[in-house]
Amino acid sequence: MKGTITMSSLVRDRLGGFAFGADYNPEQWPESVWDDDMALMKSAGVTMVSVGIFGWAAVEATPGSYDFGWVDRVMDRLAANGIGACLATMTASPPPWLAHRHPETLPRRADGTVLSPGSRQHFCPSGPVYREHAARLVEAIATRYADHPALAMWHINNEYGCHVPECFCDVSAAAFRSWLADRYGDVDALNDAWSTTFWSQRYADLAEVLPPRAAPTFLNPAQVLDYKRFSSDALLECFLMEKEILRRATPTVPVTTNFVGAWHRIDVTSWAPHLDVVSYDSYPDPNEPDTVIQAAFMYDRMRALHGKPWLLLEQAPSAVNWRAHNAPKAVGEMRLWSYQAVARGADAIMYFQWRQSRGGAERFHSAMVPHGGPETRAYAETAALGAELGRLGPVLGSTVDAPVALVSDWSSGWALQGNALPSAGLVQEETDFAHYRSLWKAGVAVDVVSPSVDLSRYRLVVVPNLYAVDLDVAERLVEYVRAGGHLVMSFFSGIVDSAERVHLGGYPGPFRELLGLGVDEFWPLPPGGTVALDSGGAGTHWSEWITPAGADVLDRFADGELAGMPAITRHAFGDGVATYLGTRPDEATMADVVGRALTAAGVTPVLEGVPDGVEVVERGGNGRWLFLLNHNKTAVTVPLPADAVDVLTGDVLGAEVELAGRGVVVARLS
């Protein structure tokens, strides 16, 4: 490969500043509008737009007959106006003629329902016909625009797995069997991994294996888990097919695809090494009280995938269209939430979309240019933000140095979605967030990471749930604590391996010695149920029969069947310490447990004395940049380090600064 492809070099060298813009869909509008678009983009400080994401039918109206004329004219206009193109491969939504001529390309649900055209993502990722047509289209695009001056980066497909993360058709079944052969080698190894002696499920030949389709009762949990892994890999194969074509034509042009919020669709940890830059679509809900904390969690996850700046490829200027109740962003929220992404490592702020659609399913999704035109709040606010980002060039390429890691494993989370478990009330995303909330409110920087990463550089590691874990991965956590690390781990961890086989010898399997305890029985709570704790707090979701084996008891259950038994413990192990939560503590109790762990680990807030509702994040590496974000509606006063300078105004700020309601200050520190 020629050269080094990084996000910071893209935005600095190609765009001259932050990547700022939106999805641009000029094919929805008469060409007479396009020159107005260019003028408005320049006025708004737009430096890059995503082009052609849903353009397949507009460039290949009939099979094999390409007409790129409109794309040529758009790309030429962008180049003439100094705006970069994040050019899409257009493969996210095949044209209707493909399904009409090749109905075998359509995906099927587990119950056999065929998903028809009329929406998007109506393709089976394993289907050779879809892949053949997609590859031919990408080859034509790559060849035509490889040297175009507007080309800034490639955008492959769009939001993989957002609507169709799995296909259960016969083509997918054959591909699954091939995947299993690669994973296990032979049918005997598969039978062992899947525990097929149970319910007479033993296979004599891999040819007998099917996807986990609709069945009389509980499906084999190992089969279901492997199918989720296979389905993520099948979509990844599509991505890699397109990437290979693009790389041959443009060896130094960055390649990305946009991840979406729901963690369970594709395994982004396995995808991330194949992206030149991580991209993410973020749509916080203004009606959700903890929406900014949830967004921060996902930004920390995206940043940690590469450990470097990432791209916010989509957000809404105001309201979305797909929730039951679509609240607009209040005055100041779009700017505030955009800066939250920048604070947590984003070197790009983009929107869906540039001009609000007149028709189609997203006609009421907000845009930079709404139905009312540029004389609207959305355009004024986004244009003002574009001007501000133009003054933040020195921040580009910096990132966040986090002393805390929150461990979240994709496969374990998938396994936790299964059935026939002690409780159906455990969801990985919700469990992760319940622990992250206390870290966010404590004002410390966090990386959300896989358990397979090097944990040695973190002072504190938090493991909300690691239900499924292999022994070699578990040993990483054991050795982390043995070497002096501080760990907080919650219940139902270390229970099964990656094939859903229980670790024998007692719960929590490979973590018993580390935690200094054994769990005799799980005692999950009913929906909405709570259990009192001696400390005065309460536990939710779960309780369990804990027998200490060296661990000190920090809190006990105060009522119910387990009254008087340990609920929260602490165990000195090697040179480190492990805290264990046998229940989900209420928010105040969780904050106390996490706070004590932070103190013991020597982790302090980014900034002391910060009022509630104010988020403080530091980016560094090429300077020190302090982001102060006031999520309150009213003004607050925030203390500052000496010699802090407001990056946007150049003013020296002094010992404290007043943040307006929903206000932002970006300070340069000496």
Side-chain angles (χ1 to χ4, degrees):
M1 186 186 303
K2 301 176 183 176
T4 300
I5 300 175
T6 66
M7 184 60 193
S8 57
S9 65
L10 163 70
V11 296
R12 183 179 61 249
D13 301 336
R14 175 62 184 85
L15 304 178
F18 272 80
F20 179 74
D23 284 15
Y24 183 38
N25 300 297
E27 66 272 24
Q28 297 179 12
W29 299 94
E31 195 161 344
S32 57
V33 175
W34 297 357
D35 287 331
D36 290 341
D37 286 337
M38 297 300 115
L40 289 173
M41 286 180 189
K42 292 184 71 174
S43 176
V46 168
T47 61
M48 185 171 78
V49 292
S50 297
V51 181
I53 292 175
F54 298 110
W56 192 342
V59 300
E60 191 181 6
T62 57
S65 178
Y66 297 116
D67 179 5
F68 289 105
W70 68 270
V71 185
D72 292 345
R73 296 191 294 278
V74 168
M75 292 288 283
D76 290 347
R77 279 179 167 86
L78 292 173
N81 286 276
I83 300 169
C86 179
L87 184 57
T89 57
M90 309 186 187
T91 55
S93 186
W97 57 256
L98 183 63
H100 178 71
R101 292 170 178 250
H102 299 282
E104 70 274 18
T105 62
L106 295 174
R108 292 176 183 263
R109 289 179 175 156
D111 64 1
T113 301
V114 176
L115 301 178
S116 298
S119 179
R120 63 179 189 174
Q121 293 193 352
H122 47 280
F123 62 88
C124 165
S126 299
V129 175
Y130 166 76
R131 290 191 183 188
E132 175 188 343
H133 283 80
R136 190 162 59 235
L137 172 64
V138 176
E139 188 77 52
I141 294 171
T143 301
R144 190 176 191 92
Y145 299 106
D147 298 317
H148 198 284
L151 180 64
M153 63 188 304
W154 292 111
H155 176 9
I156 294 179
N157 205 281
N158 184 68
E159 295 185 335
Y160 275 106
C162 179
H163 309 295
V164 188
E166 299 168 298
C167 173
F168 295 84
C169 72
D170 289 342
V171 173
S172 294
F176 182 44
R177 289 189 283 269
S178 177
W179 184 90
L180 292 171
D182 290 339
R183 182 174 177 84
Y184 295 109
D186 58 38
V187 71
D188 290 335
L190 178 137
N191 280 316
D192 178 60
W194 284 11
S195 305
T196 57
T197 51
F198 184 80
W199 278 356
S200 189
Q201 292 177 350
R202 186 170 184 83
Y203 297 99
D205 192 288
L206 283 175
E208 300 166 3
V209 178
L210 293 172
R213 293 169 175 161
T217 185
F218 299 135
L219 290 159
N220 184 316
Q223 179 188 14
V224 172
L225 182 53
D226 267 346
Y227 204 73
K228 291 184 180 297
R229 293 180 178 123
F230 154 75
S231 297
S232 179
D233 286 351
L235 288 166
L236 178 58
E237 286 180 7
C238 292
F239 171 85
L240 292 175
M241 175 193 73
E242 296 191 27
K243 179 184 176 183
E244 181 181 355
I245 295 169
L246 298 174
R247 189 63 89 227
R248 287 199 306 266
T250 55
T252 60
V253 177
V255 171
T256 194
T257 191
N258 47 338
F259 296 145
V260 288
W263 66 269
H264 59 271
R265 289 164 179 161
I266 59 172
D267 182 356
V268 302
T269 57
S270 66
W271 280 57
H274 303 287
L275 276 63
D276 295 323
V277 57
V278 170
S279 297
Y280 177 63
D281 295 352
S282 179
Y283 291 98
D285 185 353
N287 284 332
E288 170 59 48
D290 280 339
T291 196
V292 295
I293 311 179
Q294 293 168 349
F297 172 82
M298 291 305 301
Y299 299 159
D300 288 347
R301 167 166 272 171
M302 292 301 115
R303 184 189 67 249
L305 287 172
H306 280 181
K308 59 181 67 173
W310 52 280
L311 185 155
L312 179 58
L313 196 63
E314 289 185 22
Q315 65 168 335
S318 187
V320 299
N321 70 298
W322 38 264
R323 295 186 176 107
H325 303 281
N326 297 299
K329 293 178 179 176
V331 174
E333 277 186 337
M334 182 280 300
R335 175 179 182 262
L336 173 64
W337 294 357
S338 297
Y339 273 111
Q340 183 188 40
V342 174
R344 294 183 179 273
D347 273 5
I349 297 296
M350 308 278 285
Y351 301 89
F352 180 86
Q353 58 179 323
W354 166 251
R355 187 177 285 275
Q356 192 170 14
S357 299
R358 184 179 184 186
E362 293 182 300
R363 64 199 182 282
F364 292 116
H365 192 295
S366 61
M368 288 183 70
V369 182
H371 292 143
E375 303 300 323
T376 50
R377 177 174 74 93
Y379 181 79
E381 289 189 4
T382 53
L385 178 63
E388 289 183 0
L389 292 176
R391 299 197 289 274
L392 292 183
V395 176
L396 292 172
S398 61
T399 188
V400 178
D401 184 16
V404 179
L406 186 145
V407 170
S408 181
D409 183 70
W410 229 264
S411 285
S412 181
W414 275 333
L416 206 62
Q417 283 184 298
N419 48 35
L421 295 169
S423 172
L426 302 182
V427 178
Q428 188 71 53
E429 191 172 28
E430 189 270 337
T431 301
D432 288 346
F433 180 70
H435 293 71
Y436 179 86
R437 182 193 291 110
S438 292
L439 296 166
W440 187 90
K441 290 191 173 183
V444 299
V446 181
D447 285 344
V448 181
V449 301
S450 158
S452 61
V453 306
D454 179 11
L455 298 171
S456 62
R457 72 182 186 86
Y458 298 104
R459 298 181 188 177
L460 174 66
V461 171
V462 177
V463 183
N465 179 271
L466 197 54
Y467 161 63
V469 59
D470 286 329
L471 294 179
D472 60 331
V473 177
E475 187 61 22
R476 288 174 173 267
L477 288 162
V478 173
E479 288 305 311
Y480 165 76
V481 179
R482 194 194 310 274
H486 290 251
L487 176 76
V488 174
M489 178 178 284
S490 278
F491 57 83
F492 208 46
S493 294
I495 308 303
V496 299
D497 66 12
S498 60
E500 292 256 36
R501 296 170 296 196
V502 173
H503 291 297
L504 300 179
Y507 312 128
F511 300 129
R512 293 185 71 194
E513 182 183 7
L514 164 66
L515 298 170
L517 55 79
V519 174
D520 190 68
E521 285 184 294
F522 307 128
W523 222 286
L525 301 175
T530 62
V531 57
L533 301 174
D534 276 353
S535 62
T540 66
H541 290 78
W542 190 271
S543 60
E544 53 192 24
W545 187 301
I546 297 173
T547 302
D552 298 322
V553 178
L554 301 182
D555 209 344
R556 296 180 182 272
F557 296 114
D559 64 9
E561 298 294 334
L562 300 180
M565 299 195 70
I568 301 174
T569 64
R570 183 180 186 273
H571 185 229
F573 179 78
D575 294 327
V577 176
T579 300
Y580 182 70
L581 284 66
T583 187
R584 171 80 57 76
D586 62 78
E587 187 173 344
T589 307
M590 178 74 83
D592 180 65
V593 171
V594 168
R596 282 185 285 171
L598 289 168
T599 299
V603 178
T604 57
V606 175
L607 191 64
E608 300 280 1
V610 174
D612 290 343
V614 175
E615 181 177 3
V616 181
V617 185
E618 182 178 330
R619 285 182 64 163
N622 60 351
R624 295 180 62 203
W625 317 96
L626 198 65
F627 289 78
L628 310 175
L629 313 169
N630 183 14
H631 296 289
N632 301 295
K633 296 180 182 179
T634 55
V636 295
T637 300
V638 180
L640 280 176
D643 301 324
V645 176
D646 189 320
V647 177
L648 295 176
T649 66
D651 296 336
V652 177
L653 294 171
E656 60 183 27
V657 64
E658 181 173 301
L659 277 176
R662 300 194 181 108
V664 175
V665 166
V666 183
R668 185 179 72 248
L669 304 181
S670 58

